[in-house]
């Protein structure tokens, strides 16, 4: 007597699994459409978070001071390092770019209660891996989001409303 090994699935089992997957995707896809990563209005926020994290990582990797420069009147952002010559710093400033997506940096707060919303300001990222503590307020139309940059944490916290250091306590 020869025994057959019946490995595999029946057509009915495959149809049931595909139907269940279809139902799951039917409910899951609308949530992804409204997600932070797919929303064009959040382009500036994604860019800012990426810039802050990359400057921290680059400062730690090279063991050098990196500075994020913000010009409120020109609505431009650029970075410099301690290793740059005066000519390179000037070139970096001339190559400054606006925040993508039409957003602008409205203000930067430093603890305990220093708020800068005009002129220029700097946020420093040190070679040992820490940074200045700052709250960056990004404005797009009437909406303002706040981003908390903490000295020893690698993640940037985002708030969908403007917050201050007093609100965080």
């Amino acid at each position: 007597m020869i025994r057959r090994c019946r490995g595999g699935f029946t057509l009915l089992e495959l149809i049931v699994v595909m139907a269940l997957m279809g139902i799951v995707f039917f409910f899951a896809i609308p949530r992804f459409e409204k997600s932070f990563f797919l929303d064009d209005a959040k382009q500036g926020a994604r860019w800012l978070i990426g810039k802050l994290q990359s400057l921290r990582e680059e400062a730690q990797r090279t063991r050098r001071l990196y500075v994020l420069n913000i010009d409120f009147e020109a609505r431009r952002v650029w970075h410099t390092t301690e290793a740059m010559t005066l000519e390179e710093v000037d070139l970096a400033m001339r190559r400054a770019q606006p925040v993508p997506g039409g957003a602008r940096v409205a203000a930067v707060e430093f603890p305990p209660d220093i708020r800068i919303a005009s002129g220029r300001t700097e946020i420093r990222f040190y070679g040992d891996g820490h940074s200045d503590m700052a709250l960056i307020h990004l404005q797009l139309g009437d909406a303002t989001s706040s981003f908390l940059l903490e000295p020893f944490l690698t993640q940037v916290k985002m708030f969908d409303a403007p917050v201050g250091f007093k609100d965080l306590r």
Side-chain angles (χ1 to χ4, degrees):
M1 178 170 184
I2 299 175
R3 275 178 99 188
R4 276 193 187 167
C5 181
R6 291 191 41 164
F9 300 101
T10 65
L11 182 58
L12 182 61
E13 290 170 327
L14 291 174
I15 290 173
V16 169
V17 169
M18 294 300 287
L20 289 174
M21 287 176 58
I23 291 170
V24 168
F25 283 128
F26 176 77
F27 289 106
I29 294 218
R31 290 184 183 194
F32 285 120
E33 287 177 359
K34 294 180 179 116
S35 99
F36 174 75
F37 295 106
L38 299 176
D39 188 0
D40 286 338
K42 301 286 186 183
Q43 181 181 6
R46 289 189 308 267
W47 179 86
L48 181 62
I49 290 171
K51 185 75 166 174
L52 295 171
Q53 290 177 339
S54 70
L55 286 175
R56 181 189 303 269
E57 291 167 6
E58 193 63 19
Q60 189 171 16
R61 187 184 65 77
T62 61
R63 312 290 286 160
R64 290 191 174 159
L65 174 71
Y66 275 66
V67 179
L68 179 67
N69 301 275
I70 302 167
D71 186 332
F72 294 101
E73 276 73 34
R75 295 183 174 192
R76 300 228 179 256
V77 178
W78 70 96
H79 75 272
T80 55
T81 69
E82 66 182 351
M84 289 180 155
T85 65
L86 290 176
E87 293 82 21
E88 291 171 327
V89 169
D90 185 54
L91 180 63
M93 188 171 72
R94 283 188 271 128
R95 290 183 176 168
Q97 61 187 22
V99 176
R104 71 177 184 90
V105 178
V108 176
E109 291 185 44
F110 298 99
D113 57 356
I114 300 168
R115 182 180 175 90
I116 302 169
S118 64
R120 289 183 184 163
T121 192
E122 299 176 341
I123 301 172
R124 291 177 173 81
F125 299 86
Y126 300 94
D128 62 359
H130 80 281
S131 67
D132 292 340
M133 185 169 199
L135 263 171
I136 303 166
H137 303 287
L138 193 67
Q139 186 173 11
L140 178 62
D142 295 334
T144 302
S145 300
S146 297
F147 300 85
L148 177 61
L149 181 64
E150 296 187 77
F152 298 103
L153 299 180
T154 58
Q155 296 298 316
V156 177
K157 290 182 186 173
M158 179 183 166
F159 302 92
D160 286 329
V163 297
F165 283 109
K166 293 177 184 174
D167 301 325
L168 299 175
R169 294 181 191 156

